Amino acid sequence: MIYAFPPGGLPDQSVSPEGTAVFTPAYAVLPAVTQRDIVTSYLPGWTGMRMWVLARPMSGFAETFSQYAVELAPAGGSDAPEVDEDAQSVIFVAGGRITLNIDGARHVLDAGGYAYIPPDTLWTVWNDADAVAQFHWIRKRYVGAEGVAMPDAFVTSDQAVAPVEMPDCNGVWATTRFVEPDDLRHDMHVNIVTFQPGGVIPFAETHVMEHGLYVLQGSADYLLNKDWVPVGPGDFMWLRAFCPQACTATGDQPFRYLLYKDVNRHMPL
């Protein structure tokens, strides 16, 4: 399986600056072509890393999460990657190999590897291989609930989790769920959604969850509020709560995206 990741580099002077990036009060689209070397960021306490910040909390827009696409050179990494003790993380490896140490347990993750890291957890991440490693890092401050235990760390992979087919869709729409929806310990889900070519979301979803959607593979026409937007590998979409959405998978290969949403908690008043 090949997973899309920001291309980096820089287009040459023959390329038109007219692009397809969109930022509206209801949604944003950051096409892969915008994810270039000159928009990368770096973090203190890391070696041999750079990252694209795809989402961050912004007052009046999506507010619950941040999402980074992190690139690690060989021997790159950090012994203190997280600076917020209330932050939980999901790591999804797009390419190469990383070594995660979570509370003393060592895990080696290849492309498709997935890890959930609870808040206030000691963890490190390093690239011990000879090739560049690429991973998505989604962070959210954990919201506890009375009588509900903190979730445990776990490590799995896209390959190890069987997709669950959505009802009444003849198998063309499925979700790889790394956490069960009724597990109330978790206040966020990061799943992979897969549509076979021609598959659709057959209604305009409108719901309280915020979304970050990173296209891992394939292409689709995606409904965002009132606009149909063509998207493909490496494109990122950022949706506010209640923004209508639907899609039709196009092309000749599955359309797959990494999906963030906030779940299972009271709305703050």
Side-chain angles (χ1 to χ4, degrees), residues 158 163 171-176 192-196 217 254-257:
D158 181 20
V172 300
W173 177 10
T175 302
T176 304
I192 294 176
V193 179
T194 301
F195 289 90
Q196 300 304 318
Q217 178 189 10
F255 173 59
R256 308 190 78 212
Y257 54 85

Side-chain angles (χ1 to χ4, degrees), residues 184-236:
L184 296 183
R185 298 175 302 165
H186 289 271
D187 69 342
M188 74 169 180
H189 291 162
V190 180
N191 297 326
I192 294 176
V193 179
T194 301
F195 289 90
Q196 300 304 318
V200 301
I201 296 177
F203 70 105
E205 294 186 27
T206 306
H207 50 62
V208 70
M209 287 84 79
E210 296 180 349
H211 275 342
L213 297 88
Y214 190 92
V215 180
L216 299 171
Q217 178 189 10
S219 61
D221 292 327
Y222 215 97
L223 175 65
L224 299 164
N225 200 12
K226 297 181 178 181
D227 307 316
W228 284 95
V229 178
V231 295
D235 292 348
F236 180 72

